[in-house]
Short mmCIF file of all heavy atoms in Angstrom, two decimals:
data_model
loop_
_atom_site.label_atom_id
_atom_site.label_comp_id
_atom_site.label_asym_id
_atom_site.label_seq_id
_atom_site.Cartn_x
_atom_site.Cartn_y
_atom_site.Cartn_z
N GLU J 1357 -7.73 -1.96 -11.47
CA GLU J 1357 -7.02 -2.99 -10.91
C GLU J 1357 -6.62 -2.70 -9.49
O GLU J 1357 -6.47 -1.49 -9.14
CB GLU J 1357 -5.71 -3.37 -11.70
CG GLU J 1357 -4.80 -2.25 -11.94
CD GLU J 1357 -3.67 -2.61 -12.82
OE1 GLU J 1357 -3.48 -3.77 -13.20
OE2 GLU J 1357 -2.90 -1.69 -13.34
N VAL J 1358 -6.43 -3.68 -8.69
CA VAL J 1358 -6.09 -3.50 -7.33
C VAL J 1358 -4.53 -3.24 -7.19
O VAL J 1358 -3.73 -4.04 -7.79
CB VAL J 1358 -6.40 -4.82 -6.47
CG1 VAL J 1358 -5.90 -4.58 -5.02
CG2 VAL J 1358 -7.88 -5.14 -6.58
N VAL J 1359 -4.20 -2.23 -6.45
CA VAL J 1359 -2.75 -1.91 -6.23
C VAL J 1359 -2.28 -2.56 -5.00
O VAL J 1359 -1.29 -3.23 -4.91
CB VAL J 1359 -2.63 -0.41 -6.20
CG1 VAL J 1359 -1.08 -0.06 -6.01
CG2 VAL J 1359 -3.04 0.22 -7.52
N ALA J 1360 -3.05 -2.25 -3.89
CA ALA J 1360 -2.64 -2.73 -2.56
C ALA J 1360 -3.78 -2.72 -1.67
O ALA J 1360 -4.73 -1.92 -1.88
CB ALA J 1360 -1.45 -1.85 -2.00
N SER J 1361 -3.79 -3.46 -0.59
CA SER J 1361 -4.81 -3.46 0.40
C SER J 1361 -4.23 -3.78 1.75
O SER J 1361 -3.15 -4.37 1.88
CB SER J 1361 -5.98 -4.45 0.01
OG SER J 1361 -5.42 -5.83 0.12
N ILE J 1362 -4.97 -3.35 2.79
CA ILE J 1362 -4.56 -3.57 4.15
C ILE J 1362 -5.76 -3.78 5.06
O ILE J 1362 -6.81 -3.16 4.87
CB ILE J 1362 -3.73 -2.40 4.72
CG1 ILE J 1362 -3.12 -2.72 6.05
CG2 ILE J 1362 -4.47 -1.12 4.71
CD1 ILE J 1362 -1.99 -1.78 6.50
N THR J 1363 -5.78 -4.76 5.92
CA THR J 1363 -6.87 -5.04 6.83
C THR J 1363 -6.67 -4.37 8.17
O THR J 1363 -5.68 -3.73 8.42
CB THR J 1363 -7.04 -6.52 7.04
OG1 THR J 1363 -5.90 -7.07 7.74
CG2 THR J 1363 -7.14 -7.21 5.66
N ASN J 1364 -7.71 -4.47 9.11
CA ASN J 1364 -7.57 -3.82 10.31
C ASN J 1364 -6.52 -4.44 11.28
O ASN J 1364 -6.13 -3.82 12.28
CB ASN J 1364 -8.97 -3.75 11.03
CG ASN J 1364 -9.42 -5.11 11.25
OD1 ASN J 1364 -8.98 -6.12 10.73
ND2 ASN J 1364 -10.50 -5.27 12.11
N ASN J 1365 -6.05 -5.66 10.91
CA ASN J 1365 -4.93 -6.21 11.68
C ASN J 1365 -3.65 -6.09 10.91
O ASN J 1365 -2.65 -6.83 11.16
CB ASN J 1365 -5.20 -7.72 12.05
CG ASN J 1365 -5.39 -8.54 10.77
OD1 ASN J 1365 -5.29 -8.09 9.70
ND2 ASN J 1365 -5.67 -9.89 11.03
N ASP J 1366 -3.58 -5.14 9.95
CA ASP J 1366 -2.36 -4.80 9.18
C ASP J 1366 -1.84 -5.95 8.29
O ASP J 1366 -0.70 -5.96 7.94
CB ASP J 1366 -1.26 -4.38 10.09
CG ASP J 1366 -1.62 -3.03 10.80
OD1 ASP J 1366 -2.35 -2.26 10.20
OD2 ASP J 1366 -1.20 -2.84 11.97
N SER J 1367 -2.75 -6.83 7.85
CA SER J 1367 -2.35 -7.79 6.85
C SER J 1367 -2.44 -7.08 5.49
O SER J 1367 -3.42 -6.43 5.11
CB SER J 1367 -3.30 -9.00 6.84
OG SER J 1367 -3.01 -9.86 5.84
N THR J 1368 -1.44 -7.22 4.65
CA THR J 1368 -1.33 -6.50 3.37
C THR J 1368 -1.22 -7.45 2.17
O THR J 1368 -0.76 -8.53 2.31
CB THR J 1368 -0.07 -5.58 3.31
OG1 THR J 1368 1.10 -6.32 3.54
CG2 THR J 1368 -0.13 -4.53 4.47
N GLU J 1369 -1.72 -6.93 1.10
CA GLU J 1369 -1.51 -7.66 -0.17
C GLU J 1369 -1.31 -6.66 -1.26
O GLU J 1369 -1.68 -5.43 -1.16
CB GLU J 1369 -2.88 -8.38 -0.55
CG GLU J 1369 -3.14 -9.63 0.32
CD GLU J 1369 -4.30 -10.46 -0.11
OE1 GLU J 1369 -4.84 -10.21 -1.24
OE2 GLU J 1369 -4.66 -11.41 0.56
N TYR J 1370 -0.63 -7.09 -2.38
CA TYR J 1370 -0.16 -6.16 -3.44
C TYR J 1370 -0.49 -6.85 -4.73
O TYR J 1370 -0.40 -8.10 -4.92
CB TYR J 1370 1.25 -5.81 -3.31
CG TYR J 1370 1.69 -5.08 -2.10
CD1 TYR J 1370 2.03 -5.72 -0.97
CD2 TYR J 1370 1.64 -3.69 -2.08
CE1 TYR J 1370 2.38 -5.04 0.28
CE2 TYR J 1370 1.98 -2.97 -0.92
CZ TYR J 1370 2.30 -3.67 0.19
OH TYR J 1370 2.64 -2.99 1.39
N GLY J 1371 -0.76 -5.96 -5.75
CA GLY J 1371 -0.88 -6.41 -7.15
C GLY J 1371 0.49 -6.96 -7.64
O GLY J 1371 1.56 -6.46 -7.15
N ASP J 1372 0.45 -7.89 -8.55
CA ASP J 1372 1.69 -8.55 -9.07
C ASP J 1372 2.61 -7.48 -9.68
O ASP J 1372 3.80 -7.60 -9.60
CB ASP J 1372 1.37 -9.55 -10.06
CG ASP J 1372 0.69 -10.80 -9.42
OD1 ASP J 1372 0.78 -10.95 -8.23
OD2 ASP J 1372 0.00 -11.55 -10.14
N PHE J 1373 2.04 -6.43 -10.27
CA PHE J 1373 2.85 -5.43 -10.97
C PHE J 1373 3.68 -4.54 -10.02
O PHE J 1373 4.55 -3.87 -10.39
CB PHE J 1373 1.99 -4.61 -11.86
CG PHE J 1373 0.91 -3.80 -11.11
CD1 PHE J 1373 1.23 -2.62 -10.52
CD2 PHE J 1373 -0.34 -4.32 -10.93
CE1 PHE J 1373 0.29 -1.87 -9.78
CE2 PHE J 1373 -1.30 -3.60 -10.26
CZ PHE J 1373 -1.01 -2.41 -9.62
N VAL J 1374 3.33 -4.60 -8.71
CA VAL J 1374 4.00 -3.73 -7.73
C VAL J 1374 5.50 -4.13 -7.57
O VAL J 1374 6.34 -3.19 -7.49
CB VAL J 1374 3.29 -3.77 -6.39
CG1 VAL J 1374 4.07 -3.04 -5.33
CG2 VAL J 1374 1.83 -3.17 -6.52
N LYS J 1375 5.75 -5.41 -7.51
CA LYS J 1375 7.17 -5.84 -7.51
C LYS J 1375 7.99 -5.25 -6.45
O LYS J 1375 9.10 -4.89 -6.65
CB LYS J 1375 7.77 -5.68 -8.88
CG LYS J 1375 7.06 -6.43 -10.00
CD LYS J 1375 7.66 -6.10 -11.34
CE LYS J 1375 6.92 -6.79 -12.47
NZ LYS J 1375 7.44 -6.47 -13.79
N GLY J 1376 7.37 -5.04 -5.29
CA GLY J 1376 8.15 -4.50 -4.18
C GLY J 1376 8.38 -2.92 -4.18
O GLY J 1376 9.09 -2.44 -3.31
N ARG J 1377 7.81 -2.27 -5.12
CA ARG J 1377 7.99 -0.82 -5.25
C ARG J 1377 7.12 0.03 -4.33
O ARG J 1377 7.43 1.11 -4.03
CB ARG J 1377 7.78 -0.45 -6.70
CG ARG J 1377 8.69 -1.14 -7.68
CD ARG J 1377 8.47 -0.66 -9.10
NE ARG J 1377 7.16 -1.09 -9.58
CZ ARG J 1377 6.26 -0.22 -10.10
NH1 ARG J 1377 6.59 1.00 -10.28
NH2 ARG J 1377 5.06 -0.66 -10.54
N PHE J 1378 5.93 -0.59 -4.00
CA PHE J 1378 4.96 0.22 -3.27
C PHE J 1378 4.69 -0.40 -1.88
O PHE J 1378 4.90 -1.61 -1.71
CB PHE J 1378 3.55 0.15 -3.92
CG PHE J 1378 3.53 0.77 -5.30
CD1 PHE J 1378 2.40 0.56 -6.12
CD2 PHE J 1378 4.58 1.46 -5.80
CE1 PHE J 1378 2.32 1.06 -7.35
CE2 PHE J 1378 4.54 1.97 -7.11
CZ PHE J 1378 3.37 1.77 -7.88
N THR J 1379 4.45 0.43 -0.91
CA THR J 1379 4.19 -0.05 0.52
C THR J 1379 2.91 0.63 0.94
O THR J 1379 2.79 1.84 0.88
CB THR J 1379 5.32 0.31 1.37
OG1 THR J 1379 6.49 -0.29 0.85
CG2 THR J 1379 5.01 -0.26 2.81
N ILE J 1380 1.98 -0.14 1.46
CA ILE J 1380 0.78 0.35 2.11
C ILE J 1380 0.86 0.29 3.60
O ILE J 1380 1.46 -0.70 4.13
CB ILE J 1380 -0.50 -0.41 1.57
CG1 ILE J 1380 -1.81 0.33 2.01
CG2 ILE J 1380 -0.47 -1.82 1.98
CD1 ILE J 1380 -3.07 -0.22 1.37
N SER J 1381 0.32 1.31 4.27
CA SER J 1381 0.37 1.40 5.76
C SER J 1381 -0.79 2.13 6.22
O SER J 1381 -1.51 2.80 5.45
CB SER J 1381 1.72 1.93 6.23
OG SER J 1381 1.82 3.30 5.80
N ARG J 1382 -1.08 2.08 7.54
CA ARG J 1382 -2.16 2.78 8.05
C ARG J 1382 -1.91 3.34 9.40
O ARG J 1382 -1.08 2.77 10.21
CB ARG J 1382 -3.48 2.01 8.13
CG ARG J 1382 -3.37 0.72 8.88
CD ARG J 1382 -4.64 -0.14 8.76
NE ARG J 1382 -5.82 0.53 9.45
CZ ARG J 1382 -7.06 0.10 9.26
NH1 ARG J 1382 -7.28 -0.90 8.48
NH2 ARG J 1382 -8.03 0.72 9.86
N ASP J 1383 -2.52 4.53 9.74
CA ASP J 1383 -2.49 5.13 11.03
C ASP J 1383 -3.83 5.04 11.67
O ASP J 1383 -4.73 5.70 11.21
CB ASP J 1383 -2.00 6.60 10.88
CG ASP J 1383 -1.80 7.28 12.23
OD1 ASP J 1383 -2.61 6.97 13.13
OD2 ASP J 1383 -0.96 8.04 12.36
N HIS J 1384 -4.01 4.14 12.60
CA HIS J 1384 -5.36 3.87 13.14
C HIS J 1384 -5.92 5.13 13.81
O HIS J 1384 -7.11 5.42 13.68
CB HIS J 1384 -5.29 2.76 14.14
CG HIS J 1384 -5.01 1.36 13.53
ND1 HIS J 1384 -5.95 0.56 13.20
CD2 HIS J 1384 -3.77 0.86 13.24
CE1 HIS J 1384 -5.36 -0.53 12.63
NE2 HIS J 1384 -4.07 -0.38 12.64
N ASP J 1385 -5.07 5.81 14.54
CA ASP J 1385 -5.53 7.07 15.28
C ASP J 1385 -6.01 8.12 14.38
O ASP J 1385 -6.94 8.84 14.67
CB ASP J 1385 -4.45 7.67 16.13
CG ASP J 1385 -4.10 6.68 17.30
OD1 ASP J 1385 -4.91 5.87 17.68
OD2 ASP J 1385 -2.91 6.73 17.79
N LYS J 1386 -5.40 8.27 13.15
CA LYS J 1386 -5.74 9.30 12.21
C LYS J 1386 -6.82 8.78 11.21
O LYS J 1386 -7.15 9.56 10.28
CB LYS J 1386 -4.55 9.84 11.50
CG LYS J 1386 -3.54 10.58 12.39
CD LYS J 1386 -2.39 11.08 11.61
CE LYS J 1386 -1.39 11.84 12.56
NZ LYS J 1386 -0.26 12.37 11.86
N ASN J 1387 -7.12 7.46 11.27
CA ASN J 1387 -8.04 6.90 10.21
C ASN J 1387 -7.58 7.17 8.82
O ASN J 1387 -8.34 7.42 7.93
CB ASN J 1387 -9.50 7.44 10.43
CG ASN J 1387 -10.48 6.38 10.16
OD1 ASN J 1387 -10.19 5.23 10.00
ND2 ASN J 1387 -11.77 6.81 10.12
N THR J 1388 -6.24 7.04 8.65
CA THR J 1388 -5.60 7.32 7.39
C THR J 1388 -4.83 6.11 6.88
O THR J 1388 -4.19 5.51 7.68
CB THR J 1388 -4.70 8.56 7.53
OG1 THR J 1388 -5.47 9.68 7.99
CG2 THR J 1388 -4.02 8.90 6.27
N VAL J 1389 -4.85 5.97 5.61
CA VAL J 1389 -4.09 4.90 4.97
C VAL J 1389 -3.10 5.58 4.02
O VAL J 1389 -3.46 6.59 3.30
CB VAL J 1389 -5.01 3.96 4.15
CG1 VAL J 1389 -4.10 3.01 3.32
CG2 VAL J 1389 -5.80 3.19 5.13
N TYR J 1390 -1.85 5.09 4.02
CA TYR J 1390 -0.85 5.72 3.12
C TYR J 1390 -0.33 4.68 2.12
O TYR J 1390 -0.42 3.43 2.32
CB TYR J 1390 0.35 6.17 3.98
CG TYR J 1390 0.02 7.12 5.07
CD1 TYR J 1390 -0.17 6.63 6.36
CD2 TYR J 1390 -0.14 8.45 4.84
CE1 TYR J 1390 -0.55 7.54 7.33
CE2 TYR J 1390 -0.44 9.36 5.81
CZ TYR J 1390 -0.60 8.87 7.10
OH TYR J 1390 -0.92 9.76 8.10
N ARG J 1391 0.13 5.21 1.05
CA ARG J 1391 0.78 4.28 0.11
C ARG J 1391 1.99 5.00 -0.45
O ARG J 1391 1.89 6.02 -1.15
CB ARG J 1391 -0.11 3.88 -1.05
CG ARG J 1391 0.52 2.84 -1.99
CD ARG J 1391 -0.57 2.18 -2.69
NE ARG J 1391 -1.36 3.10 -3.52
CZ ARG J 1391 -1.01 3.61 -4.68
NH1 ARG J 1391 0.12 3.22 -5.19
NH2 ARG J 1391 -1.75 4.50 -5.27
N GLN J 1392 3.11 4.46 -0.16
CA GLN J 1392 4.41 4.95 -0.60
C GLN J 1392 4.75 4.23 -1.94
O GLN J 1392 4.73 3.00 -1.98
CB GLN J 1392 5.53 4.72 0.41
CG GLN J 1392 6.88 5.08 0.02
CD GLN J 1392 7.09 6.64 -0.12
OE1 GLN J 1392 6.51 7.29 0.75
NE2 GLN J 1392 7.82 7.09 -1.04
N MET J 1393 5.00 5.09 -2.92
CA MET J 1393 5.31 4.46 -4.26
C MET J 1393 6.76 4.89 -4.66
O MET J 1393 7.01 6.09 -4.73
CB MET J 1393 4.31 4.97 -5.27
CG MET J 1393 2.91 4.67 -4.95
SD MET J 1393 1.71 5.02 -6.33
CE MET J 1393 1.93 6.84 -6.38
N ASN J 1394 7.59 3.93 -4.81
CA ASN J 1394 9.00 4.20 -5.25
C ASN J 1394 9.26 3.64 -6.63
O ASN J 1394 8.49 2.81 -7.16
CB ASN J 1394 9.95 3.60 -4.31
CG ASN J 1394 9.80 4.21 -2.88
OD1 ASN J 1394 9.55 5.38 -2.73
ND2 ASN J 1394 9.97 3.33 -1.91
N ASP J 1395 10.34 4.18 -7.29
CA ASP J 1395 10.72 3.68 -8.58
C ASP J 1395 9.54 3.63 -9.56
O ASP J 1395 9.29 2.62 -10.20
CB ASP J 1395 11.34 2.22 -8.47
CG ASP J 1395 12.08 1.79 -9.70
OD1 ASP J 1395 12.48 2.61 -10.45
OD2 ASP J 1395 12.23 0.53 -9.90
N LEU J 1396 8.89 4.74 -9.68
CA LEU J 1396 7.68 4.78 -10.51
C LEU J 1396 8.04 4.70 -12.04
O LEU J 1396 9.10 5.18 -12.37
CB LEU J 1396 6.97 6.12 -10.26
CG LEU J 1396 6.11 6.14 -8.99
CD1 LEU J 1396 5.84 7.59 -8.50
CD2 LEU J 1396 4.89 5.35 -9.16
N GLU J 1397 7.17 4.11 -12.74
CA GLU J 1397 7.29 3.86 -14.13
C GLU J 1397 6.18 4.60 -14.89
O GLU J 1397 5.07 4.77 -14.36
CB GLU J 1397 7.27 2.44 -14.46
CG GLU J 1397 8.25 1.63 -13.61
CD GLU J 1397 7.97 0.09 -13.79
OE1 GLU J 1397 6.84 -0.35 -14.31
OE2 GLU J 1397 8.82 -0.70 -13.25
N PRO J 1398 6.40 4.91 -16.20
CA PRO J 1398 5.29 5.52 -16.97
C PRO J 1398 4.06 4.68 -16.95
O PRO J 1398 2.91 5.19 -17.00
CB PRO J 1398 5.89 5.65 -18.37
CG PRO J 1398 7.31 5.85 -18.08
CD PRO J 1398 7.66 5.01 -16.92
#
């Protein structure tokens, strides 16, 4: 299942189950994408 996505203009989308707990971001210079996950559940 899809958790999160981000485009090259930083438009983001999240799976319904995320419920504001996760954040996706990217560093263009480092060609790196990050995902911060908070309030994790089993």
Side-chain angles (χ1 to χ4, degrees):
E1357 56 185 350
V1358 178
V1359 179
S1361 65
I1362 187 167
T1363 65
N1364 59 347
N1365 62 357
D1366 293 330
S1367 175
T1368 59
E1369 291 189 4
Y1370 296 91
D1372 292 340
F1373 59 87
V1374 170
K1375 299 177 183 177
R1377 300 180 296 129
F1378 300 170
T1379 302
I1380 188 170
S1381 60
R1382 61 187 287 170
D1383 185 324
H1384 293 266
D1385 292 336
K1386 295 181 179 179
N1387 218 8
T1388 300
V1389 173
Y1390 304 97
R1391 188 160 55 83
Q1392 178 68 38
M1393 303 188 295
N1394 298 324
D1395 195 19
L1396 285 161
E1397 305 167 352

